[in-house]
């Protein structure tokens, strides 16, 4: 899942997937804005056949936190 998420992130911002780690913060380190983040979440929901709870999203600050959350939904 981590590799696929990195690939998806790099579709929204100009960041080399190899530079993204589980500790990378979506806004501060990667530069995702809220619109891109929400679009990416929609893509993730489709790709992994999960349904993200919007109230939980605000607690996801790093790639690792997001992956743990997404894996808990599978």
């Amino acid at each position: 899942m981590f590799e696929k998420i990195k690939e998806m992130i790099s579709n929204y911002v100009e960041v080399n997937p190899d530079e993204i780690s589980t500790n990378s913060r979506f806004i501060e380190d990667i530069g995702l804005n809220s619109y891109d983040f929400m679009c990416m979440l929609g893509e993730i929901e489709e790709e992994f056949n999960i349904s993200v709870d919007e109230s939980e999203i605000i607690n996801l600050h790093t790639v690792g936190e997001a992956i743990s959350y997404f894996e808990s939904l599978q």
Side-chain angles (χ1 to χ4, degrees):
M1 179 181 275
F2 179 52
E3 294 302 316
K4 186 64 180 174
I5 299 286
K6 291 193 316 184
E7 181 183 313
M8 289 176 169
I9 291 170
S10 68
N11 290 330
Y12 290 91
V13 291
E14 293 184 24
V15 173
N16 183 330
D18 294 334
E19 296 175 6
I20 299 171
S21 74
T22 56
N23 294 322
S24 296
R25 296 171 297 175
F26 288 109
I27 297 170
E28 296 88 344
D29 301 328
I30 298 171
L32 274 174
N33 63 39
S34 58
Y35 177 77
D36 288 339
F37 184 73
M38 294 305 289
C39 290
M40 184 184 69
L41 283 176
E43 188 178 338
I44 288 169
E45 286 180 313
E46 278 187 35
E47 176 71 25
F48 297 105
N49 195 29
I50 58 176
S51 182
V52 174
D53 181 346
E54 292 184 18
S55 66
E56 296 289 326
I57 293 169
I58 59 171
N59 299 317
L60 306 177
H61 302 288
T62 67
V63 174
E65 290 171 351
I67 290 172
S68 294
Y69 174 67
F70 301 147
E71 287 176 342
S72 76
L73 298 175
Q74 290 187 312

